[in-house]
Amino acid sequence: MNEAEKSINIQIGSDLSGVVNFGTIKGNVSNDTNRSSADIPNPDQHVKGQYSDKVPSSQLPRSSPWQVFLSHTSELREYPRGNSYIHCAERAVSAAGHAVRDMADFPAVDEAPASVCEQRVNESDVYLGIYGMRYGSPVRDKPDISYTELEFNTASARGMPRLIFVLDSESEDLALPLKALIDREYGQRQDSFLGRVKEAGLTLQRFRSPDDLKLLIERSLRALADRKDLTC
């Protein structure tokens, strides 16, 4: 096996559950349960509806700060009161030396919501998905999909690095109200979406509390920055 056929894997901490897999330059999908990879197609090509685990080095800037797009649903910004999950995520991005991008921070514009969402993601350098139990609001001009899923699709189509964090629903430290844990209207959509994210060959990290999420995000961003093939 030559260098171009080796998977790029980064161990980001002995206390974490797995390995962050940022993709394979060339080769077959591994059978190892903790490591997965997918062929990287031409960056200019993308098949609609497919999720790929591709991270062309040309897509990641050579110097920081990066623009890190936070993709999440509203309850994670609201709870827990005073120290929300997204507040901790923003602190982690800043601590790692990068800039936060979030749809909540953008002004109103006279454009279709889906187009604005896709544009904001494409202007970013790294996609950071923070997923809870709720699917989120459907896009007004694309009601079959939520903003969170649209953001993930857009990042996947561009070939951006995607760091995914999923709420551990069995944790005793969630500090979330019941309404934030149950999605009676779109729960099946959320289950389906998370299933497709897993099938994309990404290693998902589970977080148990806001502080746990902060630690995982900061370590993951620093691990990504340490990749020799992407930084100079």
Side-chain angles (χ1 to χ4, degrees), residues 18-30:
V19 173
V20 176
N21 186 322
F22 295 104
T24 303
I25 295 176
K26 181 179 179 182
N28 296 324
V29 177
S30 170

Side-chain angles (χ1 to χ4, degrees), residues 51-218:
Y51 300 121
S52 60
D53 191 19
K54 57 178 183 177
V55 186
S57 60
S58 61
Q59 294 292 338
L60 198 60
R62 300 289 175 172
S63 61
S64 59
W66 299 331
Q67 298 291 318
V68 179
F69 188 93
L70 301 188
S71 180
H72 60 88
T73 46
S74 60
E75 78 281 358
L76 297 180
R77 176 172 289 283
E78 185 176 0
Y79 299 105
R81 303 287 190 186
N83 189 44
S84 75
Y85 284 97
I86 302 307
H87 175 66
C88 285
E90 291 171 339
R91 288 167 54 197
V93 172
S94 297
H98 306 297
V100 172
R101 293 179 68 86
D102 191 308
M103 283 299 294
D105 299 329
F106 295 116
V109 293
D110 186 17
E111 296 181 40
S115 176
V116 173
C117 180
E118 292 167 342
Q119 178 182 349
R120 299 309 186 225
V121 174
N122 283 323
E123 292 171 348
S124 303
D125 302 307
V126 177
Y127 172 89
L128 202 157
I130 306 171
Y131 305 148
M133 308 304 294
R134 298 183 62 80
Y135 183 63
S137 302
V139 181
R140 192 169 67 233
D141 51 329
K142 289 187 177 182
D144 292 335
I145 192 171
S146 71
Y147 285 95
T148 304
E149 185 166 6
L150 177 61
E151 290 158 2
F152 177 81
N153 290 356
T154 304
S156 299
R158 185 185 165 198
M160 292 171 58
R162 295 159 297 167
L163 305 178
I164 308 298
F165 305 88
V166 180
L167 183 71
D168 184 351
S169 60
E170 298 182 359
S171 172
E172 298 180 355
D173 302 318
L174 295 179
L176 290 169
L178 185 61
K179 66 179 182 179
L181 295 173
I182 299 177
D183 191 339
R184 299 186 186 280
E185 187 172 5
Y186 299 116
Q188 290 185 339
R189 287 193 188 184
Q190 179 68 350
D191 291 341
S192 179
F193 170 49
L194 292 179
R196 288 194 295 273
V197 172
K198 293 176 183 178
E199 292 171 0
L202 299 171
T203 300
L204 282 59
Q205 292 290 346
R206 294 193 175 273
F207 58 92
R208 302 177 298 275
S209 68
D211 289 337
D212 187 37
L213 176 63
K214 180 178 181 297
L215 175 66
L216 290 171
I217 290 175
E218 185 174 350

Side-chain angles (χ1 to χ4, degrees), residues 4-18:
E5 296 176 328
K6 293 182 179 179
S7 296
I8 304 166
N9 296 284
I10 304 291
Q11 183 73 45
I12 62 175
S14 58
D15 59 330
L16 304 184
S17 61

